[in-house]
Amino acid sequence: MDHFIYRNGVLHAEDVPVSDIAAAVGTPFYCYSAATLTRHYALFDEALAGTDHLVCYAMKSNSNLAVLKLMGDLGAGMDVVSVGEYLKAKAAGIPGERIVFSGVGKTRAEMRVALEGGIRQFNVESEPEMEVLNDVALSLGLVAPITIRVNPDVDAKTHAKIATGKKENKFGIPISRARDVYAHAATLKGLDVIGIDVHIGSQLTDLEPFELAYLKVAELTRQLRADGHDIRRLDLGGGLGIPYERSNTAPPLPIEYGDVIKRTVGDLGCEIEIEPGRLISGNAGIMVSEVIYVKSGEDRDFLILDSAMNDLIRPAMYESHHDIIPVTEPAAGAEPATYDIVGPICESGDTFAKERTMARLNSGDLVAFRSAGAYGAVMASEYNSRPLIPEVLVQGDQFAVIRARPTFEEMINRDIIPEWL
Ligand SMILES: *Cc1c(COP(=O)(O)O)cnc(C)c1O
């Protein structure tokens, strides 16, 4: 459920007509609903009720400072994957003890910043990383709390580009080698080995891969404890999928996901962390765009929008579906039309949808892409010298620009012509 609904014939974000925001900030823009973000966080928090847990929002899905502040105020921790994200989380007021640091390629410089600024744990992904982190911690006279990310070799049954838990993926250490690696880690004085980490992929629409992975983690916990390690924290990653298509069957709910966690690892007495990103931010955001032209082709009609693949790359990158709806509610019984929905960028990959049947639209009409709150704005670029589009946050009847559209001048002045040229 989200808070983008038609009222009085106009799409609203909570209590604000989307057309009012468009008039104030211009199109295209992203728009997020605070009530939806809050609700999604609460669903996870409630799903783990009764267990010692922390929901660490995977901020790579949407890392606007205002979104982070909202999450942090609700009590969320953060899952960060770069020092930039770490510093943003800090800037949004999240204390170090609620920040976990994931990622396969942490550098010494990144480790130093996180160790000095305070960190809940590093999720270490390889032995070389483990040794470097040990080095950096010792050089600072500190001890780094770590979990080791294991790769359980489980098929997440999701898009290949976002599957991370198979042995051919670059993530984690093979679970078959885990006991050796933990034994090695235990000899390193700069590390405090506190738990196990696993994350098998994103946009999972089935609970079975989670169940298989978590059962393997439970078994490993018992083995490692028998080997003498004090395993007291399990980071179970993110990845629960969202319904991108309203007409399809919906993925499992957080409460069902919570049941899987309780059933598989609930009896181990470990503190549980989860790292949901997409499910919190995805359906809490829309991208609003204006129709520039309706163009009749030889065998199809094109809806040419003022947003493009640089603003929302998911369809081009992951062949993903977004529901695209008119901001003005279509009249009941109005005759539909079928369009290829495209942006103005100079490549055919700049296509949002093919043969989409929807209300008939005209130039100047506004449309909203649903489910655009995750992996939307954060993956945007200025390809074709199109300035990054603004982000807006709505709460009740108020809205605010939470990242402004750069002016053309700002965009141009980012480049530097050398004196000698
Ligand atoms: C991307 C990622 C997540 C979040 O995945 P979602 O599908 O957005 O929930 C969590 N943990 C790690 C380590 C990730 O790389």
Side-chain angles (χ1 to χ4, degrees):
M1 201 205 92
D2 60 45
H3 290 75
F4 300 102
I5 46 168
Y6 289 114
R7 270 199 247 161
N8 311 320
V10 181
L11 186 68
H12 279 58
E14 300 192 22
D15 300 332
V16 183
V18 167
S19 47
D20 286 7
I21 305 174
V25 307
T27 56
F29 63 92
Y30 280 100
C31 174
Y32 311 130
S33 153
T36 311
L37 288 162
T38 301
R39 180 184 138 78
H40 290 164
Y41 168 79
L43 288 176
F44 280 110
D45 200 34
E46 286 158 17
L48 293 179
T51 66
D52 182 10
H53 70 274
L54 183 67
V55 178
C56 295
Y57 169 60
M59 63 176 277
K60 73 172 192 267
S61 68
N62 184 326
S63 59
N64 188 287
L65 227 49
V67 172
L68 304 185
K69 163 87 164 55
L70 177 75
M71 286 290 136
D73 287 352
L74 293 170
M78 294 287 148
D79 171 47
V80 309
V81 293
S82 71
V83 72
E85 286 197 346
Y86 177 84
L87 293 171
K88 265 188 129 173
K90 286 305 248 342
I94 319 297
E97 69 257 27
R98 277 200 263 142
I99 302 176
V100 304
F101 202 148
S102 300
V104 291
K106 304 176 200 79
T107 65
R108 282 176 186 269
E110 290 185 307
M111 292 170 180
R112 210 172 291 125
V113 170
L115 278 167
E116 286 178 331
I119 189 84
R120 181 178 183 81
Q121 98 231 3
F122 291 89
N123 294 332
V124 171
E125 300 226 14
S126 66
E127 282 177 281
E129 180 195 340
M130 201 166 89
E131 286 175 23
V132 167
L133 180 59
N134 178 59
D135 246 30
V136 175
L138 290 176
S139 75
L140 296 171
L142 296 169
V143 174
I146 68 159
T147 69
I148 296 174
R149 178 166 175 182
V150 294
N151 186 324
D153 195 24
V154 164
D155 184 357
K157 296 185 215 150
T158 183
H159 191 281
K161 284 183 186 165
I162 49 175
T164 58
K166 286 287 282 174
K167 60 174 184 274
E168 61 267 30
N169 301 134
K170 67 182 176 184
F171 300 96
I173 57 154
I175 199 161
S176 54
R177 292 210 49 239
R179 292 173 76 183
D180 289 346
V181 177
Y182 274 82
H184 178 195
T187 66
L188 301 174
K189 299 275 177 290
L191 305 181
D192 180 17
V193 184
I194 59 175
I196 306 172
D197 172 45
V198 70
H199 170 74
I200 57 174
S202 198
Q203 187 54 17
L204 274 71
T205 52
D206 185 351
L207 291 175
E208 199 198 347
F210 287 117
E211 175 131 21
L212 292 173
Y214 297 168
L215 284 171
K216 290 189 179 194
V217 168
E219 189 192 337
L220 180 61
T221 303
R222 293 190 183 95
Q223 285 175 344
L224 292 176
R225 283 177 170 171
D227 292 346
H229 303 282
D230 180 14
I231 301 299
R232 51 198 187 271
R233 183 180 291 167
L234 301 178
D235 183 332
L236 300 175
L240 191 58
I242 62 171
Y244 279 100
E245 266 178 272
R246 300 291 143 135
S247 49
N248 273 6
T249 50
L253 302 170
I255 190 81
E256 299 169 293
Y257 172 67
D259 287 342
V260 169
I261 291 175
K262 289 177 184 170
R263 200 161 64 231
T264 51
V265 299
D267 62 344
L268 295 167
C270 284
E271 182 184 9
I272 303 295
E273 285 167 3
I274 53 171
E275 304 169 342
R278 188 189 306 269
L279 202 141
I280 290 180
S281 56
N283 279 328
I286 57 175
M287 182 180 76
V288 180
S289 185
E290 185 177 309
V291 177
I292 309 178
Y293 299 115
V294 183
K295 171 174 163 176
S296 298
E298 219 156 72
D299 65 347
R300 65 192 64 207
D301 292 342
F302 295 95
L303 214 52
I304 303 176
L305 305 182
D306 64 355
S307 58
M309 63 188 283
N310 69 300
D311 305 310
L312 177 66
I313 204 171
R314 297 191 65 262
M317 184 133 153
Y318 310 114
E319 293 92 33
S320 62
H321 173 102
H322 285 268
D323 282 349
I324 303 170
I325 60 170
V327 167
T328 302
E329 187 173 20
E335 201 197 317
T338 299
Y339 302 110
D340 278 12
I341 304 176
V342 302
I345 282 184
C346 313
E347 54 180 280
S348 296
D350 187 24
T351 298
F352 289 122
K354 290 203 148 143
E355 294 183 39
R356 191 65 71 84
T357 299
M358 59 190 301
R360 188 169 293 281
L361 292 172
N362 296 303
S363 86
D365 286 344
L366 298 176
V367 293
F369 288 67
R370 284 191 175 278
S371 314
Y375 307 107
V378 286
M379 294 182 88
S381 77
E382 292 186 334
Y383 185 38
N384 277 216
S385 294
R386 297 165 46 84
L388 288 180
I389 66 175
E391 294 173 278
V392 172
L393 183 67
V394 172
Q395 184 166 53
D397 61 1
Q398 18 174 18
F399 71 91
V401 173
I402 57 173
R403 189 180 69 197
R405 191 190 311 275
T407 63
F408 287 109
E409 201 182 13
E410 283 163 347
M411 184 182 69
I412 292 164
N413 289 339
R414 235 177 266 141
D415 294 354
I416 300 163
I417 299 177
E419 264 171 43
W420 41 260
L421 201 66

